[in-house]
Amino acid sequence: MRLLALDTATDCATAALATDGVIVVERARAAPGAAAREVLALVDDVLAAGGVGIGDLDGIVVGTGPGSFTGIRIGMATATALADAASLPLAGVSTLTALCEAAPSAAVAVIDARRREVFAAGPDLAAAAYDPATLAATLRPGTTLVGDGAVRYRDIFAAAGHAIAADDDPAHRVSAASHLRLARFDGAAAVPTYLREPDAVPREGAR
Amino acid sequence: MILAIETSCDETCAAVVDGSTVYSNVVSSQALLHGRFGGVVPEIASRRHLELVSSVVRAALDDASVRLADLRAIAVTAGPGLVGALLVGVAAAKAYAYAAAKPLVAVDHLHGHVASLSLDEEPFEPPFLCLLVSGGHTLLLDVTGPSRFTVIGRSLDDAAGEAFDKGARLLGLPYPGGPAIEQLAADGDPGCVPFPVAMAGRRGLDFSFAGLKTALATRLRDQAAAPADMAASYQAAVVASLVLRTEQALEATGARRLGVVGGVAANASLRAALNRLGERRGVAVKAALPRYCGDNAAMIGAAAAHLVPVEFPDFLQIDAYARAALGVESSVGW
Ligand SMILES: [Zn+2]
């Protein structure tokens, strides 16, 4: 059973390959605003490192966000097309859930959502967009936070007594290996998780 | 055979094309989705493209009874257009090309519209003058080769299709405005309400439609004309402005042939007016078949036939762009 996973919802694009539940190789590339465009090169890297081609896979796993809208779409369009072209099943894993998976237990995942907001989720926290200060006040003091949103608003979260590892700690980066451990090929469609509505106002009297 | 993907605006499209033969042409329009906003909302369009792109590609392959392995190349619109929307098609096209081990062709959307003239039993070959009129563009192109053209005139503000959309809005008609105005205008008198011919007194080959929209707003307030007459008069004013500049471009370039492409080229009164212009000047006029006027992927596949496919990994460098590529655009000051 060979599975490929990729995630491009954050500024760190990631891809990984697993054989029979063992992570064979993982690659990541950090590039603010541009990481998602590297994803197919990452996919080629991990397949080459694992000595396999697309046709040798049994399934593909994709991070469904939340994060950058464009990043989510590039990753999901890539994964969907790869799966369609190679007739493989596709499974989606929430990017927030993947962040939690790799973190210490009971950690809350926090992804930068721009516009002075973060997307966050945790054991007792529903996935949603939050104002950092509101989120800091909502969480039980001493909560461990991971993700680029935790790093960006470190001051706010630290002031509320929450624990955040050093900026370069790998716990803050989404890892496609997490997706491989979490994926369930149960036939459910992979659906993008935007957690924010598009900015658009219906015109008056529109039908 | 080429599989082409087009997601530059609000139509998710895929087609299988071989030269001028179209084996399939799937267009999934989002017009209803954007109608309640009175125009295309980029983020909504991009989300919808992602939902649709692989099923549209699958439908195009199935309609053509073709497998990815049978293809010579995969083509995709790289720009100009909404970058977020384009990126969905570009990412999908790269992934299909990678998985199927096929080269990729990046196609300019404007080039695609020009190439729509070749999708016919009697293809219209360059050189010719081309009027490209759509919701996003109003351009006069000097087409010198199958993939070579120069912009010699363009709209300085709204595109002709936008002029129809905004006019429709003022008239209380739904989006997209072109077909709605054309339908209402069918029962109206185009000479009922006088409009200025936009840019009539101005030199050069550029267009302007913002003034017409303002003129329509004033007339709707001040004149008691039937809606059909108002729509017919407004449509006639847009058409007159397009015909005026086209005639000046024919004169300036000495072109003996005129091609008409883009979504607005499906407008029957524009087609008729340009045919009359051709007869008057002894110029051969050819409009794209109506099914290839609006955005579609068949025209992207037709344009791709004249471009060099890029192999992996070089095609990873292909990126979406919002504005017309430099070098393609160059305004000539007549
Ligand atoms: Zn177009």
Side-chain angles (χ1 to χ4, degrees), chain B residues 85-207:
Chain B
L86 287 160
L87 280 170
V88 174
V90 169
K94 284 180 181 176
Y96 277 111
Y98 175 76
K102 301 291 176 184
L104 187 65
V105 189
V107 178
D108 185 275
H109 183 80
L110 306 179
H111 183 198
H113 274 300
V114 174
S116 69
L117 288 166
S118 69
L119 296 172
D120 205 331
E121 283 169 15
E122 305 162 36
F124 196 64
E125 304 292 345
F128 54 84
L129 177 74
C130 188
L131 174 67
L132 194 171
V133 267
S134 70
H137 302 279
T138 300
L139 297 167
L140 280 163
L141 308 167
D142 182 16
V143 182
T144 52
S147 60
R148 283 181 47 204
F149 55 88
T150 314
V151 176
I152 59 171
R154 77 186 83 191
S155 178
L156 301 175
D157 40 57
D158 297 342
E162 270 178 294
F164 280 126
D165 289 339
K166 291 179 178 177
R169 195 167 179 164
L170 291 169
L171 287 159
L173 299 172
Y175 170 90
I181 287 186
E182 185 172 9
Q183 208 182 350
L184 180 59
D187 302 321
D189 171 9
C192 181
V193 185
F195 276 88
V197 176
M199 306 288 278
R202 295 269 292 273
R203 284 163 55 79
L205 295 173
D206 290 332
F207 301 88

